[in-house]
Amino acid sequence: MSHLSKRIVVACAAAGLAGIASAQGYVGFGVGQSRAKLDCAGTDTCDKTDTAFRLYGGYQFNPNLALEAAYYDQGKARVTASDPELGTVGGDFKGQGFGLWGVLSAPMQAASVYAKLGVVSARIKLDASSSTLGSASASERHTRGAWGLGASYEFASDWVARLDYERFRVRFMDLVTLGAHYRF
């Protein structure tokens, strides 16, 4: 092996070890607002937004790449309408699910911006009621691709504040959350 080849091997090994040394896990919580994708034509009231939260954890392999898993409670959307035959009709749409994301970051000292690409599996439940017919429930699960953007700021040695926007390709929600995570 030539002298130059040995230097290249040593440099690659050092870069790999530096990546392992900077690798770390994290857990966090975010709260924010969800916005349902509903058509409100013909309704008396239509509330598409609600408080949502997410619990997440991940593993940052190096300053630029992480893998993240999350649980979502996407909140509730509510609609009401009046119908001559059904009377007063109401519906509550609730969403919750899980996501798996690849996160690509661009660190800038204590701050970072990032893009996320992943898959989300969400369960959407409808609780409907009619003043003449009573109530009923139905649910469905969708698993689809998703993407997101965000920014973070390290405000203490192991604590990071985050602002995330996530677009789920399931029928129900977009999500904006503000949160923090702890690195270990």
Side-chain angles (χ1 to χ4, degrees):
M1 185 179 283
S2 74
H3 187 60
L4 179 60
S5 298
K6 288 179 186 177
R7 284 186 177 181
I8 292 172
V9 168
V10 169
C12 290
L17 290 174
I20 291 170
S22 69
Q24 56 193 350
Y26 57 91
V27 294
F29 177 80
V31 66
Q33 188 174 60
S34 59
R35 181 166 177 81
K37 301 170 197 161
L38 295 175
D39 180 7
C40 293
T43 63
D44 295 336
T45 64
C46 185
D47 184 3
K48 294 182 180 186
T49 60
D50 197 13
T51 301
F53 73 88
R54 69 188 188 103
L55 300 170
Y56 62 94
Y59 190 78
Q60 190 160 358
F61 298 99
N62 61 46
N64 303 104
L65 185 62
L67 183 63
E68 189 172 287
Y71 164 77
Y72 298 94
D73 183 321
Q74 298 164 312
K76 185 187 299 186
R78 296 171 188 88
V79 296
T80 61
S82 299
D83 184 84
E85 294 179 22
L86 299 174
T88 302
V89 178
D92 290 339
F93 295 88
K94 301 174 190 171
Q96 64 181 12
F98 297 92
L100 184 62
W101 302 89
V103 183
L104 186 61
S105 299
M108 300 169 277
Q109 296 182 13
S112 182
V113 293
Y114 50 89
K116 300 166 55 167
L117 189 60
V119 63
V120 171
S121 181
R123 179 177 172 254
I124 310 303
K125 182 178 180 188
L126 168 62
D127 293 320
S129 63
S130 163
S131 59
T132 60
L133 296 178
S135 61
S137 293
S139 68
E140 55 185 33
R141 179 167 291 280
H142 298 275
T143 302
R144 301 272 194 295
W147 61 270
L149 299 171
S152 66
Y153 182 76
E154 181 181 332
F155 62 90
S157 64
D158 292 327
W159 288 95
V160 176
R162 286 177 55 160
L163 177 65
D164 284 274
Y165 168 78
E166 295 167 332
R167 177 88 190 227
F168 304 156
R169 294 193 50 138
V170 296
R171 293 185 192 181
F172 199 51
M173 294 287 179
D174 289 339
L175 191 62
V176 176
T177 57
L178 180 62
H181 70 247
Y182 175 77
R183 294 187 300 216
F184 52 90

